[in-house]
Amino acid sequence: MAVYVDNADIPASVPNGNRVHTSHWCHMMADTLPELLAFASRIGLRRSWIQVKKSGVHFDLTAGKRRQAVAAGAVEVEVHSDEWRRVHTCAREQYAEVLQGRP
């Protein structure tokens, strides 16, 4: 089991209170939802920042947070690679888990 970060490089501006945070973002996903949440906590992400979407449960990461995740042991995956597709399938399955109140 592992945590993964993709190499998406999505420019976006995200409101944060009275400020707007502009950065390039990627996604952090994991084989299991508990593993994703534990790892996110370890690198300082708030649980409330989780993205619970039909397309897959994940955290959005800035470039700096991505580097921190990799340094903490996250596996880098190429967007649309076979490994990314496998992990993305896990993330989509986790959507149902979240809807059912797990973990």
Side-chain angles (χ1 to χ4, degrees):
M1 294 202 217
V3 174
Y4 305 87
V5 291
D6 66 24
N7 63 340
D9 187 27
I10 305 164
S13 296
V14 178
N16 184 5
N18 293 338
R19 301 178 318 163
V20 174
H21 185 79
T22 300
S23 188
H24 287 249
W25 303 79
C26 70
H27 309 102
M28 183 173 78
M29 302 169 280
D31 289 326
T32 68
L33 188 53
E35 191 172 22
L36 177 64
L37 294 171
F39 193 91
S41 178
R42 255 183 43 220
I43 64 168
L45 298 177
R46 294 182 194 158
R47 187 175 177 144
S48 63
W49 294 343
I50 195 167
Q51 302 292 303
V52 179
K53 299 182 177 188
K54 256 186 179 175
S55 61
V57 176
H58 66 277
F59 282 89
D60 291 335
L61 302 183
T62 60
K65 201 49 101 166
R66 183 185 191 281
R67 286 190 297 276
Q68 186 180 356
V70 170
V75 177
E76 297 176 276
V77 293
E78 192 78 26
V79 172
H80 303 297
S81 66
D82 289 343
E83 185 66 355
W84 179 88
R85 283 183 192 70
R86 186 195 67 75
V87 173
H88 197 251
T89 296
C90 289
R92 284 195 311 269
E93 291 168 353
Q94 291 160 13
Y95 176 76
E97 291 179 37
V98 171
L99 292 182
Q100 294 172 6
R102 293 180 285 156

